[in-house]
Structure formats: structure tokens, C-alpha cells
Amino acid sequence: MKPQQFQRARLAAALLVTGVLGAGCGPAAMAAPAATAAATAPASADDPRPAAAPASAAVALPTVQSDVKRGASFPYKRLNELLSKLRTEGEGLFVSRFVLTDAKDASKPPPAGTKLALMSDDDYIPIPIDDKGRFDLPTFSERQAKDMDFGTNVPKGELGVRLSIDLATPPEMLDMATVRRIVTVGQRLRTELLPWYVRWMFPQIDGVIACSDAPQWQLDWSEGAQRWRLPLPADAQQREPETPKGKPSRACTVLTGQEQWPDAALLQTPPGANTKLYVKLRNPRAS
């Protein structure tokens, strides 16, 4: 798989599935064990046992073939390291999501009948794909993932994979303490915990973006006996990361964690406005 760039604040990283190696299993045969003297003795007319097969006979097994072939251009080892760190060091803040796409148009699903698997000399692990091309990937020990590759039945250059790292926190539970944790843990993951060769999959995080159908967000918190509500402004320069190119974006607001508001300040979103959260990148790249 050939990695492509992340897509804006969606953290999308495209991994192009390239040439594939290997083929299905060939025919196999298993020789029958030699018959014992008692088993090969001629049966009498009164003996109900069937006559034994000659010792030279062989049992022919059916040929097993697979159209999923193992590729060597993008070893799973590196992606396994990233996912393992997210799940062990990410404090439950991040969720990895994968989508198979057409290689030439990331908005299109993969070809019909596409299969995906993780393959090594000892393992064949099929990966279920839903009708929108979405799938999840397991993690393995370093030893298991060492020689593991992706396998697919799609020819070279016809399949792409989009990796997104989303926030696990729902909008109604986002407070300033969580915003600050997301920024701190995200930056620590990238600069201290991830090996240099997988850092490109996890760009710098500088905050949280909230996008809604209506620009009516507030922060709500209490200080002593007093309750405070602070309206949040829409950021005219911030587009919703999932907005198709050339289409108008929904309204968005940005929280960086650098604000002076208390940790307990809780985001209040417009009722029924379909609010969605995204991570804000330090240097978002154009798709």
C-alpha cells in the first residue's frame, strides 16, 4: 500500500494498495497409511467387514485456491505500531477508522467483490468490509506483526485506503479539560511515543473543531453559586473537514485549550443541529 496525505483536519491518510505477491495453494494429496496384516487378509464369506483398500491407494484432496494475494509494498508492522500506541497510550481519546475507496476517486467505494486480509507465512486473517468500504483492523504483538502484509484480490493501482483518527468523546461530554487532554496526549504520542517512521500517520494536534447545522454554541460552568454561559463565535476561516471540495461548509467553532476558561466549562451545542467533533491540525494539508 502506498500512503497518501492526510485530508485536512479529518486526519485522513491514504494508503494505496499496490502490487501483490503470492498465489493460492496448489493441490495436495495424503497417502493412506499401510494396512495391517489383519486388515489386508482376504475376508471370508462369513466376514461382514469390507475388503481393505490396497496399500498403494491414495486419497486425493480437492485443490484449494485463493484470489487474495499477499502484497509486500506496505508491511503491516508499521501500522500495527501506530494502532497499538493509540490503544495503549491514547487514554481512550482517539478512535482509528478505515475506509476502502477507489484509488482514483476517494469519494467512491471500492470495486464490487473487494476482499482484504492480513497475511503472513503462518496466518490468514480476513478483514470484513461493509457496503460503504468501512473496516477495522486488529493489533498484534510485535512478533506476530513482524512479517505480516496486506492481501487483496484487487489489481495493483485500483484500491486506496483512507485512515482517519477521530475523537472518541461525544459533543455533549466535551469540556475544556478534555480539550486540553486531547492536545497534550496527541502531541506526546507523536513526539515521544511513536517511532519516527510512523509519525507521518499522526500529525500534530492543536485543538478541537465543533461543526453544527446552526452556529449556536456555548460554554457552561459554575463558579460558587453563580452559573456562567459564554457564547462561542463561529470561525469564518474553518471549514468542516468532511466537506466535499467546492461545497459550502457548515458553521464551525474551534477550541485550542489555550483559552482562560476553566476545565469544567462544558460545551453546549444547538439541539438537533447534528454537531460533530474533529481534531484541529497544526498544519492542515490541502487534499
Side-chain angles (χ1 to χ4, degrees):
M1 294 186 175
K2 177 182 177 183
Q4 300 177 1
Q5 296 178 334
F6 283 87
Q7 299 184 8
R8 294 193 175 90
R10 175 69 175 166
L11 301 185
L15 309 177
L16 183 64
V17 177
T18 57
V20 292
L21 300 177
C25 302
M30 182 181 297
T36 63
T40 55
S44 66
D46 297 328
D47 191 344
R49 294 176 301 170
S56 59
V59 179
L61 298 181
T63 299
V64 178
Q65 294 184 338
S66 172
D67 56 352
V68 177
K69 299 181 180 180
R70 183 176 174 182
S73 61
F74 190 83
Y76 188 63
K77 174 184 175 181
R78 295 186 177 184
L79 189 52
N80 185 71
E81 287 184 77
L82 171 66
L83 297 180
S84 296
K85 287 294 184 182
L86 281 179
R87 293 167 187 176
T88 59
E89 306 290 346
E91 299 186 12
L93 295 170
F94 307 104
V95 179
S96 59
R97 304 194 190 280
F98 297 84
V99 181
L100 280 178
T101 68
D102 180 270
K104 297 179 181 178
D105 187 348
S107 66
K108 293 182 179 180
T114 295
K115 298 177 184 177
L116 188 67
L118 293 173
M119 305 174 71
S120 68
D121 291 342
D122 301 318
D123 295 303
Y124 177 90
I125 303 169
I127 304 299
I129 306 169
D130 71 11
D131 56 357
K132 295 184 179 179
R134 296 173 300 194
F135 64 97
D136 291 321
L137 288 173
T139 54
F140 303 90
S141 67
E142 183 178 348
R143 180 188 61 81
Q144 286 178 293
K146 180 179 178 182
D147 299 316
M148 192 170 284
D149 297 311
F150 282 102
T152 182
N153 62 334
V154 177
K156 176 180 178 180
E158 295 186 11
L159 191 65
V161 180
R162 187 169 68 245
L163 162 63
S164 300
I165 299 174
D166 294 344
L167 294 175
T169 304
E172 64 273 13
M173 295 183 64
L174 183 74
D175 56 18
M176 290 305 301
T178 304
V179 173
R180 291 169 180 134
R181 280 181 62 216
I182 288 169
V183 174
T184 300
V185 173
Q187 293 181 356
R188 182 169 62 90
L189 268 171
R190 191 176 194 278
T191 58
E192 299 177 19
L193 300 176
L194 291 177
W196 62 268
Y197 47 81
V198 296
R199 288 177 189 166
W200 62 269
M201 298 184 194
F202 197 91
Q204 293 283 6
I205 294 174
D206 272 351
V208 176
I209 303 167
C211 300
S212 305
D213 294 340
Q216 298 168 4
W217 314 276
Q218 298 181 86
L219 286 178
D220 185 291
W221 73 94
S222 297
E223 289 184 6
Q226 194 168 11
R227 193 166 191 84
W228 295 84
R229 285 195 175 181
L230 176 70
L232 295 175
D235 188 335
Q237 303 301 314
Q238 179 64 58
R239 284 175 58 84
E240 184 169 14
E242 291 182 342
T243 305
K245 189 174 182 179
K247 300 292 185 179
S249 171
R250 296 196 301 167
C252 300
T253 191
V254 177
L255 297 169
T256 66
Q258 300 299 315
E259 299 86 357
Q260 298 301 310
W261 307 315
D263 283 351
L266 182 68
L267 178 67
Q268 303 290 324
T269 62
N274 190 29
T275 300
K276 186 164 184 180
L277 301 181
Y278 305 87
V279 290
K280 178 176 174 57
L281 303 188
R282 177 166 301 176
N283 293 305
R285 300 175 179 177
S287 59

